[in-house]
Amino acid sequence: MTRGLDAPENYYYRRVFTDAVRAVEAARSHPLTDPARTAAVGGSQGGGITLAVGALVPDLAAVAPDVPFLCDFPRATTLTDRHPYREIGLYLRTHRGRTADALRTLSYFDGVHFAARGRAPALFSAALEDETCPPSTVFAAFNAWAHEDKAIEVYDFNDHEGGGPYQEAAKLRWLGPRL
């Protein structure tokens, strides 16, 4: 969470997001893959990466971020004391006066900002008792998702596991007609 937090060009997730986009490109280049039927899916950190891929790859068939991490950093870092968001607070505790710089760097990698560029249909999920990825941060990304075909499954009494197998079934039903 804090490796390279001093500047956007050094931040760890810059390489992660680049690798994720390259992975989609590599998968699409395989002769057994239909590039027009490619979706990005992931949960938690994978959900946050899914948001970035959904913004950076222009022609995905669908995206499905489940309880996505890496959303609304300014809120998440003050709302929960669970790791991995807590790592940012611990970093800033020992790097006094660096909050503005850290939040500036994080803004380049915030799922809410990527969501504003989302170009594919999206199915999100949120768990209302999730203390790792607070639901308000997930809803911030969902509300910002630019594509008009979007839905969210909400699990009232679940923590970070989200809907578990119920969400997997919902996702398969939702993805079917889009792929």
Side-chain angles (χ1 to χ4, degrees):
M1 285 304 302
T2 57
R3 183 176 297 156
L5 193 57
D6 60 310
E9 59 272 12
N10 300 331
Y11 192 50
Y12 171 77
Y13 278 99
R14 178 180 177 164
R15 292 179 289 279
V16 172
F17 293 168
T18 300
D19 288 349
V21 169
R22 298 290 294 155
V24 170
E25 292 170 354
R28 286 178 150 184
S29 72
H30 193 281
L32 296 178
T33 301
D34 179 354
R37 296 173 60 197
T38 305
V41 301
S44 190
Q45 178 177 264
I49 296 167
T50 295
L51 293 172
V53 169
L56 298 171
V57 177
D59 56 348
L60 290 171
V63 299
D66 291 326
V67 292
F69 176 55
L70 307 169
C71 296
D72 199 355
F73 285 109
R75 181 164 176 74
T77 56
T78 60
L79 190 60
T80 183
D81 61 357
R82 266 204 200 165
H83 284 279
Y85 285 119
R86 184 69 194 131
E87 184 180 331
I88 296 168
L90 294 173
Y91 173 88
L92 292 172
R93 179 186 293 176
T94 60
H95 294 83
R96 300 236 181 248
R98 303 282 308 275
T99 303
D101 293 337
L103 290 176
R104 178 182 174 277
T105 294
L106 292 170
S107 73
Y108 283 86
F109 304 93
D110 195 316
V112 174
H113 299 153
F114 283 113
R117 297 184 55 195
R119 300 183 185 113
L123 176 64
F124 285 69
S125 72
L128 298 187
E129 294 186 4
D130 190 343
E131 294 180 31
T132 302
C133 295
S136 60
T137 67
V138 175
F139 279 102
F142 172 75
N143 291 333
W145 191 258
H147 197 279
E148 67 279 353
D149 181 3
K150 63 182 180 179
I152 188 165
E153 295 286 332
V154 177
Y155 297 94
D156 296 340
F157 300 102
N158 291 83
D159 193 358
H160 195 55
E161 81 284 0
Y166 294 96
Q167 178 59 17
E168 291 302 317
K171 191 166 27 184
L172 290 172
R173 283 190 304 274
W174 182 85
L175 282 168
R178 289 164 180 81
L179 299 179

